[in-house]
Amino acid sequence: MSNTTTNDKKEHLYKILVIGELGTGKTSLIKRYVHNLYSPNYRATIGVDFALKVINWDANTLIRVQLWDIAGQERFYNMTRVYYKDAVGCFIVFDVTRASTFEAVIRWKNDLDSKVSLPDGSRIPCVLLANKCDLAKENLANNNEQMNEFCQDKGFVGWFETSAKDDINVEKASKFLISKILEKENAIRKDEEKQASDKLTLTNENKQENKKRCC
């Protein structure tokens, strides 16, 4: 996470992970979001791939999102600590047509939470994506209440049904995650400012106390 200010416009650079089992559509989601493209031709990601999206968030804020597309193959699993470093947000993706990819969500979430955290020690905001919702579901993501409870129990900030093919909720899910990243960043900054203020107050009080003693 890095922030700069140029021409009165605040700039942010956010590293966001896109993780989940092999073949869940992670790369297709990223291509739809960044380039507004979709291709039915599937090619497995080897190791990790990258994409950059520049967003004019509001009149005063420019956000650069660096998306890390991490391979779902098990042989790359022991490299995740390196890939996760400095991330401030995450999407975990499963395929609504394959129950096994949903069962793996908890493993991915536990791996994420054990290997990366924010400066205050808290978990990075993570959104669950029920992808390929344009296809027939294996009884997955059909019960909103159950999905809400699952996300709350497992520490997700929210979930969305998505389709890279039909461009369903891809932009919406991304805006939601970025808003959660901004909320976290602001909360951490305010907490740091409060701690610095309290420390300064304590230092001044100690100085005054020492001065009294000297007198």
Side-chain angles (χ1 to χ4, degrees):
M1 183 190 303
S2 62
N3 303 322
T4 56
T5 304
T6 55
N7 299 326
D8 297 326
K9 198 162 190 174
K10 196 167 187 179
E11 296 188 10
H12 302 263
L13 175 62
Y14 293 144
K15 175 180 174 179
I16 294 177
L17 308 172
V18 185
I19 61 179
E21 291 295 276
L22 179 68
T24 53
K26 301 184 293 294
T27 303
S28 294
L29 284 168
I30 291 171
K31 284 184 177 177
R32 171 62 75 183
Y33 178 53
V34 176
H35 305 294
N36 198 25
L37 295 172
Y38 174 79
S39 171
N41 300 321
Y42 173 72
R43 180 182 64 83
T45 301
I46 305 300
V48 63
D49 206 350
F50 311 92
L52 185 70
K53 172 90 169 179
V54 180
I55 306 161
N56 287 301
W57 187 256
D58 58 34
N60 304 311
T61 312
L62 182 79
I63 295 176
R64 289 184 171 86
V65 177
Q66 191 182 65
L67 294 152
W68 283 50
D69 180 7
I70 296 172
Q73 297 100 314
E74 195 166 331
R75 70 179 185 272
F76 297 113
Y77 200 65
N78 61 351
M79 290 293 291
T80 53
R81 187 178 294 277
V82 177
Y83 297 151
Y84 292 171
K85 189 179 179 186
D86 298 327
V88 295
C90 180
F91 291 111
I92 296 182
V93 186
F94 74 93
D95 178 347
V96 297
T97 70
R98 293 159 55 213
S100 61
T101 64
F102 179 70
E103 291 162 6
V105 162
I106 297 172
R107 177 170 62 87
W108 283 101
K109 184 66 165 65
N110 289 340
D111 186 58
L112 177 76
D113 292 341
S114 68
K115 292 176 180 175
V116 65
S117 60
L118 294 174
D120 65 348
S122 63
R123 296 171 177 174
I124 68 172
C126 187
V127 171
L128 181 63
L129 299 183
N131 196 35
K132 305 186 185 181
C133 69
D134 55 290
L135 302 175
K137 304 177 181 70
E138 279 193 7
N139 296 319
L140 297 170
N142 284 327
N143 189 319
N144 285 359
E145 191 174 331
Q146 281 186 352
M147 285 295 291
N148 289 337
E149 286 179 8
F150 175 83
C151 288
Q152 191 170 1
D153 289 343
K154 304 306 177 187
F156 288 93
V157 294
W159 74 282
F160 292 84
E161 286 189 313
T162 55
S163 168
K165 181 182 177 183
D166 292 348
D167 194 14
I168 298 171
N169 286 337
V170 179
E171 184 83 26
K172 188 176 180 181
S174 299
K175 282 184 176 179
F176 177 79
L177 178 57
I178 292 168
S179 70
K180 293 297 179 182
I181 292 170
L182 285 164
E183 283 176 21
K184 269 285 190 183
E185 187 177 69
N186 290 334
I188 290 171
R189 188 184 71 251
K190 286 178 182 177
D191 188 52
E192 287 174 347
E193 288 172 354
K194 184 178 182 301
Q195 288 181 13
S197 176
D198 291 346
K199 189 175 180 181
L200 183 62
T201 301
L202 186 62
T203 301
N204 289 337
E205 287 175 353
N206 287 339
K207 282 181 180 179
Q208 289 176 357
E209 186 65 28
N210 291 334
K211 190 174 181 181
K212 286 178 183 177
R213 287 176 183 172
C214 290
C215 292

